[in-house]
Each structure stands twice: as structure tokens, then as C-alpha cells.
């Protein structure tokens, strides 16, 4: 080992010593050998420019564990997070603490996708235009304008008084399609340009998976300038990466994109080439076709290629949309010399027309149908139907080859870290998805004593597919909620179950003497729900997927976590079904190799909300009897933190009433199990 390499690893170890820099920066610091070992493994991957897949259990201190070697490495490092919320937390809280503790002069920067930054040009143009769907959009847009006049970042997350999901933001930001780039008159004051410039000058840049995957797929979102010089990329919350990568390595076109195009084209046409076409009529025609397009597919959800092909009304509506888009494109091309934006819109129309045409051709083409699998050219064709929008997707059947190609392009360190990457100590599900099969895989379990800190209770709620399942869940958990004075997360596998349990639990609570403050997803923004939960005396939060992870509530305030049922993906999910059928044709078992590992990882995320410190005590309730009645339940339980298990309601109540002290003997697996068939219902389906 060279002297420089030895000094690097010695410095990592020293930073975590009981009297080291990290200890001095954290009151109540506790030396954890697993954190030091994890940090050394990250350092080794950075130094050797190799790949590490690391599961760091809750309480390891994974953020400091990878930041210390990243800051000491001396190379340019990208740290990618799963969400923008975590990205802000990392950049504004954790990174400054570690950098200050190590006393290094590392230059750091935060970079997000362009949709997160105010675009002065489009904000001004839309305020001048004055065309809005709702009156409140005008008010919000003026508030954004005032924010833009005082902010130094332009980052919408810094505008605390304006909801991040306010529709008006779409009128105050740019997209890849409508950004003027170097031709923009506001380039010198552009917030996106300034953020990218700061990132190019930094030694460590905090990005997010969406931005990084968009760049890998499109090479034009700003990170392209950073990737060639980055010596390492660290993916935090890496378990989210496969789903996010699927979005960006595929192709999609949405009704919202087309509506935005039509409005932009009408505005610029009227402004720069009023005599070239009847722009208002063209806009009305395209918007009317888009409404008929959406109405052609009833309800909401995911539709596979076969169902779309069988829907002749949808096919005809798609042809009409393409024709209306073409009618817009032709006068734009004819008037392209009238102005830069008109020319850009003509090019944008052509791109949308080609993309929609390719999707239509793939839908009705004669290629590649095998045993009903909806795959064309290695992609799965499907539609995501929302309340008012429609998105057409072509998702890669496999990410492994394309992701591995990007990983092998330039030698650098790749670190994938999360609390949930392995299933019963097996990493093959995650590594197989991303083509990481030759990577070093290692796990450091949580230091918490969960056999003494937690109890798992599986109540007798019957078949999760039964109509009365929500009633049985509500009846089973109501006594626990009363005894625990709320302080509970009720995690559901569908929004429908959120609604059903909220209705049943609040109705039952009317006859209870224990006041509980019910916090239901959809009634308030997520951050406000969490803020109220932390402050209320007896809160119970009912939520779905967004609350299963990325939420950290330490102490007695969250001492009861209820999971309605095992989080299996819906069996009719188009991408899951296509990947399963492709695996079956190769002789594999889709349930055992795809559905079960994915459910185990999701279940571990949800259960991980309960014990967040050495002092925490809590009750985990999983209302799905398949966890103990089916053979695959053993594998799911083995993926959870070790804790005693009971099926008796009196044990669960005793645990709560004794102040969360162990009420049943610790035993690894007291239940005799017999193999059964795969589940009939799953994550995302109604209860």
C-alpha cells in the first residue's frame, strides 16, 4: 500500500475515532465500528475506482460514512440522492457539518433539474401574456415574480411561502423543449446557468437520481459537463434508482407536453407570425383532440399494449392528435425565419410528432409479439392514465445492459448505498436490475437491539383481497391506537386503502374517549402533515407510498407502525408483467426473482420507520396473514430487523401498556410454515 493510500485510510479511521473530528461535531457521538468499516469500504471504492453495493442498516450513520471519504478523497465526487428533499437536507445540513468538522476546503455545490429554478424569461413572458386557466395562478405567479427579485438561487424549494406543487410554477420555469439556452436574453441572470457554473467549479456536487439519469439518457441537462471529470458517483437511497432509471432510459410523451406546446405555439404565433395561420383555431383543435384522447381511455391506472390496441376509439383519437400536431407544425416551419422562438417551436413540433408517431407505429406494428408480451424493440409499451392527463411510455425491458454501458464508459468509483438493498443477505435482485453482478456487495446491519426494542404483531385480518379487509384492519388496530394514544403511522399499499381506513378509523374514533388527531394523505401537503405529526399530542398519520421511506421521527412520538398488507406490485402492471414473461421464457421464476425481492425491500423500508435510535421502543403491526401462513413469508420476515413475533392481541396491548418493554420471549421464528402459491393481490391495488 502506498504512503498516500495508507494516509487516506488512516485519516478516514481517525475521523470516526472517539476523539476525532466527527465526534467533535456531534453531541452524544457514539463510536460504531460498523460505520468505520462502511466508510473504509467507500474509501476503497473511490480510491480503486471500483463499484461497491452497500447496505447500511438504520443507525449506522451512512451519510457521514460516505461523506467523510468523499471529502477526503481529493477527487471530484457527485453525490446523488433519491429525492429533492433529501438533496436539500444533505447539502444544507449534513454536508456543512462534516466539511467543517474535517476542516477541508472542499468546494461544494447543489444542482437540480431546470424545472426547479425560476426562469426569468418565461416568467416575464407569461405575466405579459395574461392567459391563465385559474385566477389563483395569476396571484401565485406574481408571488413567484417577487421571489425571483430577491432570491440568489431561484430554487423553488427556497420559496417557503409558495407550495412547491403549485400549478403556476409551470409558467415560471423552463423545460428542455422550450429553454432558449445560449440565445436567451436573460442568460447572464439565469439561475440554471449560475447553478451549473457553480457545479462545474466544485469538488463535490449534490445532485439527484432524476437529474443524473436524465443526463445519462439525454446528455443535455447540465450534468454532462460534470460526468467526465467526476472520479466517483455515490448514490444514496440507491434502492430507488432502478425505478427512476426506467423512466429516463425509456421514451415518453404526455398530453401535458402537448398542451404546453399548443399554448406556447399559439402565443408565439400570434406575437411573431399572426398572418401565417389561424393560431387560435389550431390551438383549440389540438386541445379538443387531446380531450378526446383522454376520454377514450376510461378510469385511471396503467394500461398495457394489448388493452390499448383493443381500444379502437383510443387508436382513432391518437391519429387525430398526430394530425392536429402536424397542422400546427407546418405553419411554424413556414414562419421559422420570423423569430428564434418560432423556429424552436417548429423543431419542437417535429420532435413531438415523430415521438408520438413512433409510439403509434409501435402500438399497431407487427414486430416482436411473443406469448402476449407487450414488448417492441426491447421496450414495453404502456399508458399511464391520470385524472386529467395521459402519458405514453416505452420502458426498457431490461436496464442492466444500458446502465452497465454507462458505468463502464469511464473508470470511476461507483457506490450504491441504502438501508434496503439485500433480501435475506442476497443482493442479486438489485445488482441484476442494474447490471452490477461483478460488484463488491457488503452489508452492515443496524446497531439497534431490535429484539429488545420492537415487537411484530400479525393480527387475524383474513384475506387482503376480501371486501371486508379494511373493516377487519380497522377493528384490529383501533385498540392499539387508543392504548398508544395515536403516535402511529398507518402505511397503506394504495390510495384507495388510505381512504377506506381513514373513513373507518375516524368513524370508530367517534365513540372513543381517547382523542386522536387524524392526519390523512391528500388533505394537506406532505411536509405539513409530517410537521403536525411531530407536534401533536396524539397523532395518527394515514398515508401510502410516499410515507414508507425518507421519514425520520425519533422517540415515542412514533411508536406504532401499521402496514396494511404485503407490498407486492400489482400483477397487471405492464412493465412487471412483461419482465416476468421474459424471465419465464428463460426458465426463471418471476415471483421468486422479481416480485418477492421487490416486496421484501419495500416492506423493510416501511418497517424501518419504527426504530430510529437506541432509545426507541415500538410495535410493528403487519395486517397481512400471508406473512405467517405462506411459505414465502419466512423470506419476507428474514429481511426484516430481528424481533419477536406474536399473533395474540393481548401480547400487543401488553407491550404498549408496559411502556414498550418486551412482553413475549425473543424467538427467531416460532411459526411453522408451509409453502403456498404466490399472492393474488398486491401493492397498488385496492383493499
Amino acid at each position: 500500500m502506498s504512503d498516500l493510500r495508507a494516509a487516506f485510510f488512516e485519516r478516514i479511521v481517525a475521523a470516526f475515532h472517539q476523539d476525532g473530528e466527527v465526534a467533535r461535531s456531534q453531541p452524544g457521538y457514539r463510536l460504531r465500528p460498523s460505520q468505520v468499516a462502511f466508510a473504509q469500504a467507500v474509501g476503497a471504492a473511490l480510491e480503486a475506482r471500483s463499484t461497491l453495493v452497500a447496505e447500511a442498516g438504520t443507525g449506522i450513520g451512512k451519510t457521514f460514512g460516505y461523506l467523510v471519504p468523499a471529502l477526503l478523497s481529493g477527487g471530484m465526487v457527485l453525490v446523488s440522492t433519491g429525492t429533492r428533499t433529501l438533496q436539500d437536507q444533505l447539502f444544507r445540513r449534513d454536508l456543512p457539518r462534516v466539511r467543517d468538522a474535517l476542516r477541508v476546503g472542499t468546494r461544494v455545490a447543489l444542482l437540480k433539474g431546470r424545472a426547479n429554478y425560476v426562469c426569468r424569461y418565461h416568467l416575464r413572458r407569461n405575466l405579459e401574456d395574461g392567459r391563465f386557466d385559474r385566477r389563483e395562478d395569476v396571484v401565485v405567479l406574481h408571488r413567484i415574480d417577487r421571489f425571483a427579485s430577491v432570491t440568489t438561487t431561484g430554487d423553488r424549494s427556497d420559496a417557503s411561502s409558495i407550495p412547491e406543487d403549485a400549478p403556476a410554477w409551470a409558467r415560471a420555469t423552463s423545460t428542455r423543449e422550450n429553454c432558449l439556452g445560449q440565445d436567451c436574453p436573460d442568460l447572464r441572470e439565469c439561475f440554471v446557468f449560475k447553478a451549473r457554473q457553480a457545479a462545474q467549479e466544485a469538488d463535490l456536487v449534490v445532485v439527484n437520481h432524476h437529474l443524473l439519469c436524465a443526463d445519462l439518457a439525454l446528455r443535455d441537462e447540465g450534468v454532462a459537463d460534470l460526468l467526465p471529470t467526476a472520479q466517483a458517483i455515490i448514490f444514496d437511497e440507491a434502492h430507488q434508482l432502478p425505478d427512476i432509471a426506467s423512466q429516463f432510459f425509456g421514451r415518453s410523451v404526455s398530453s401535458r407536453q402537448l398542451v404546453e406546446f399548443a399554448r406556447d405555439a399559439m402565443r408565439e404565433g400570434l406575437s411573431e407570425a399572426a398572418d401565417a395561420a389561424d393560431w387560435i383555431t389550431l390551438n383549440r383543435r389540438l386541445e379538443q383532440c387531446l380531450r378526446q384522447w383522454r376520454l377514450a381511455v376510461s378510469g385511471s391506472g396503467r394500461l398495457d399494449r394489448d388493452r390499448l390496441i383493443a381500444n379502437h376509439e383510443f387508436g382513432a383519437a391518437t391519429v387525430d392528435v398526430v394530425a392536429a400536431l402536424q397542422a400546427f407544425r407546418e405553419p411554424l416551419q413556414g414562419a421559422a425565419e420570423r423569430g428564434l422562438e418560432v423556429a424552436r417551436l417548429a423543431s419542437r413540433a417535429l420532435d413531438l410528432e415523430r415521438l408520438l408517431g413512433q409510439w403509434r407505429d409501435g402500438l399497431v406494428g407487427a414486430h416482436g409479439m411473443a406469448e402476449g408480451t407487450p414488448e417492441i424493440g426491447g421496450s414495453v409499451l404502456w399508458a399511464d392514465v391520470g385524472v386529467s392527463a395521459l402519458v405514453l411510455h416505452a420502458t426498457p425491458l431490461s436496464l442492466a445492459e444500458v446502465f452497465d454501458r454507462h458505468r463502464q464508459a469511464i473508470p470511476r468509483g461507483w457506490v450504491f448505498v441504502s438501508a434496503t438493498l439485500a433480501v435475506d443477505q442476497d443482493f442479486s435482485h438489485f445488482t441484476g436490475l442494474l447490471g452490477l453482478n461483478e460488484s463488491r456487495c457488503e452489508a452492515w446491519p443496524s446497531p439497534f437491539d431490535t429484539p429488545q426494542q420492537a415487537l411484530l404483531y400479525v393480527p387475524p385480518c383474513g384475506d387482503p383481497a376480501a371486501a371486508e379487509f379494511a373493516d377487519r384492519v380497522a377493528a384490529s388496530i383501533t385498540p392499539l391506537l387508543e392504548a398508544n394514544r395515536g403516535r402511529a403511522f398507518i402505511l397503506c399499499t394504495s390510495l384507495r386503502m388510505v381512504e377506506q381506513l381513514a373513513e373507518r378509523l375516524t368513524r370508530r374514533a367517534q365513540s372513543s374517549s381517547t382523542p386522536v388527531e387524524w392526519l390523512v394523505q391528500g388533505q394537506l401537503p406532505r411536509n405539513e402533515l409530517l410537521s403536525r405529526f411531530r407536534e401533536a399530542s396524539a397523532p395518527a398519520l394515514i398515508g401510502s407510498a410516499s410515507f414508507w421511506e425518507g421519514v425520520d421521527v425519533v422517540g415515542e412520538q412514533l411508536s406504532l407502525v401499521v402496514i396494511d398488507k404485503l407490498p407486492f406490485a400489482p400483477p397487471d402492471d405492464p412493465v412487471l408483467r412483461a419482465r416476468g414473461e421474459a424471465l419465464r421464457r428463460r426458465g426463471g421464476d418471476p415471483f421468486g426473482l422479481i416480485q418477492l425481492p421487490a416486496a421484501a425491500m419495500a416492506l423493510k423500508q416501511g418497517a424501518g420507520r419504527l426504530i430510529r435510535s437506541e432509545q426507541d421502543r415500538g410495535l410493528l403491526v403487519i395486517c397481512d396473514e400471508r406473512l405467517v401462513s405462506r411459505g414465502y413469508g419466512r423470506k419476507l420476515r428474514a429481511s426484516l430487523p430481528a424481533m419477536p413475533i406474536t399473533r395474540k392481541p393481548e401480547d400487543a396491548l401488553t407491550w404498549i401498556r408496559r411502556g414498550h418493554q418486551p412482553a413475549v420471549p425473543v424467538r427467531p421464528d416460532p411459526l411453522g410454515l408451509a409453502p403456498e402459491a404466490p399472492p393474488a393481490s398486491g401493492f397498488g391495488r385496492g383493499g
Side-chain angles (χ1 to χ4, degrees), residues 132-203:
F132 299 97
D133 295 330
R134 291 165 300 192
R135 185 175 299 173
E136 57 265 31
D137 287 349
V138 185
V139 176
V140 174
L141 209 60
H142 279 289
R143 290 168 62 191
I144 295 173
D145 189 36
R146 290 193 292 272
F147 165 71
S149 68
V150 298
T151 179
T152 58
T153 66
D155 186 343
R156 69 165 73 183
S157 68
D158 292 337
S160 56
S161 64
I162 306 172
E164 282 196 54
D165 57 354
W169 278 112
R171 302 294 186 95
T173 57
S174 67
T175 65
R176 180 174 61 88
E177 292 85 5
N178 67 20
C179 175
L180 297 181
Q182 296 293 324
D183 299 316
C184 181
D186 295 294
L187 182 63
R188 286 192 175 186
E189 300 302 317
C190 175
F191 293 116
V192 173
F193 179 77
K194 289 179 179 179
R196 291 178 177 178
Q197 196 170 42
Q200 289 166 12
E201 297 168 357
D203 304 304

Side-chain angles (χ1 to χ4, degrees), residues 536-620:
S537 59
L541 189 152
I542 309 174
S544 64
S546 63
F547 293 95
W548 282 61
E549 57 182 280
V551 180
D552 192 9
V553 181
V554 178
E556 289 290 301
Q557 189 69 3
L558 178 54
S559 45
L560 172 60
V561 169
V562 177
I563 293 174
D564 67 336
K565 57 185 175 184
L566 300 179
F568 287 106
D572 59 351
D573 178 276
V575 178
L576 175 68
R577 194 178 73 176
R579 289 174 175 169
E581 291 181 1
L583 178 62
R584 186 179 290 111
R585 291 198 300 273
R586 299 195 302 269
D589 171 23
F591 176 72
L593 296 176
I594 297 179
Q595 293 171 272
L596 187 61
M601 292 170 66
L603 187 64
K604 185 155 51 170
Q605 279 288 339
R609 299 313 98 210
L610 184 62
I611 303 299
R612 308 299 297 178
S613 76
E614 286 88 346
Q615 289 74 42
D616 280 8
R617 299 290 185 273
L619 178 68
L620 173 64

Side-chain angles (χ1 to χ4, degrees), residues 322 325-326 329 349-358:
V322 174
L325 190 57
Q326 182 179 4
R329 188 251 305 162
L350 187 59
D351 289 342
L352 286 169
E353 189 180 335
R354 284 174 177 167
L355 186 58
L356 191 56
Q358 288 170 359

Side-chain angles (χ1 to χ4, degrees), residues 253-260 290 293-294 388-391:
V253 59
S254 71
S255 58
R256 185 170 288 111
Q257 280 178 276
L258 294 164
V259 166
E260 289 172 356
L290 290 171
W293 199 40
R294 170 60 187 87
S388 59
L390 174 66
V391 187

Side-chain angles (χ1 to χ4, degrees), residues 620-647:
L620 173 64
V621 183
I622 300 177
C623 300
D624 194 330
E625 294 186 73
R626 294 175 296 178
L627 187 66
V628 295
S629 66
R630 301 290 179 90
Y632 56 77
R634 185 185 298 275
K635 191 165 189 174
L636 292 172
R637 297 199 308 282
S639 297
L640 294 172
M643 66 184 77
I645 182 172
T646 185
R647 302 217 56 200

